[in-house]
Amino acid sequence: MKKIVIFLMLIFGMNVMALFVPCAKGDTKCVIRGFKVNGEIINEDGSQDIEYIVHFINNFAESGSIEIIGHADSSGTKRHNLKLSIIRAENAAKMLREFGLNEKFIINKITGEGENFPIDTNATVNGRYNNRRVEIFIENIKFKEQVK
């Protein structure tokens, strides 16, 4: 699916991408979902999202800094969820670099919030899935000028 979306992006431009990806041009926040319960490592779809983010940042931004915040659902203790969310954020930062994030982009903050800031209900399986996430904030971003 992701390969089809990238193909469509090449043909039709970035507007198509905004429908399918964790962030689009002009966004300063990208959200990666894809952690199993108690999972520390991003699943394959989430990995593809990280790869897209690296491509997006490297190709459309000139400079900026990055903050990564890990989150958890309400399964487990608060202490466990906090630790898990930090590990998720650290793993996301590692993946950004592994996928080739240009060194001119500084990862200035990696934190975890545990279960403190859910974006969905923890009463359903889907809601808990949405709460197990990493948020990547692109700060002080300067986008490259696009040739029309």
Side-chain angles (χ1 to χ4, degrees):
M1 174 69 169
K2 298 276 181 179
K3 289 178 183 175
I4 293 170
V5 171
I6 291 170
F7 175 73
L8 291 172
M9 179 191 85
L10 294 172
I11 294 173
F12 298 109
M14 288 303 298
N15 291 337
V16 173
M17 292 302 291
L19 302 173
F20 302 103
V21 296
C23 52
K25 186 172 188 236
D27 288 350
T28 58
K29 175 182 168 182
C30 303
V31 179
I32 306 298
R33 293 172 182 85
F35 293 93
K36 294 181 180 179
V37 176
N38 290 317
E40 298 175 353
I41 300 176
I42 298 169
N43 69 19
E44 186 177 336
D45 286 340
S47 293
Q48 290 175 351
D49 289 343
I50 294 274
E51 189 172 14
Y52 167 78
I53 291 167
V54 168
H55 172 79
F56 173 80
I57 292 172
N58 285 345
N59 287 302
F60 295 102
E62 292 180 357
S63 62
S65 58
I66 297 170
E67 177 180 354
I68 304 170
I69 304 173
H71 297 273
D73 64 21
S74 62
S75 304
T77 66
K78 287 190 179 287
R79 183 177 176 168
H80 171 75
N81 289 338
L82 180 59
K83 181 179 177 183
L84 183 59
S85 67
I86 293 168
I87 292 169
R88 287 175 176 167
E90 289 170 343
N91 285 335
K94 182 178 175 185
M95 289 181 77
L96 286 169
R97 291 296 183 203
E98 286 174 355
F99 280 121
L101 181 67
N102 191 306
E103 292 294 327
K104 68 183 175 184
F105 299 100
I106 299 166
I107 300 174
N108 65 355
K109 192 172 182 183
I110 300 171
T111 59
E113 290 292 344
E115 62 190 76
N116 294 329
F117 298 101
I119 59 170
D120 206 340
T121 180
N122 278 303
T124 67
V125 171
N126 192 51
R128 289 188 297 276
Y129 176 84
N130 288 331
N131 290 333
R132 295 189 302 268
R133 69 193 189 282
V134 169
E135 296 173 335
I136 300 172
F137 293 88
I138 307 165
E139 302 170 330
N140 307 313
I141 191 158
K142 181 178 177 188
F143 284 103
K144 295 177 183 176
E145 292 295 321
Q146 297 296 309
V147 177
K148 293 184 180 186

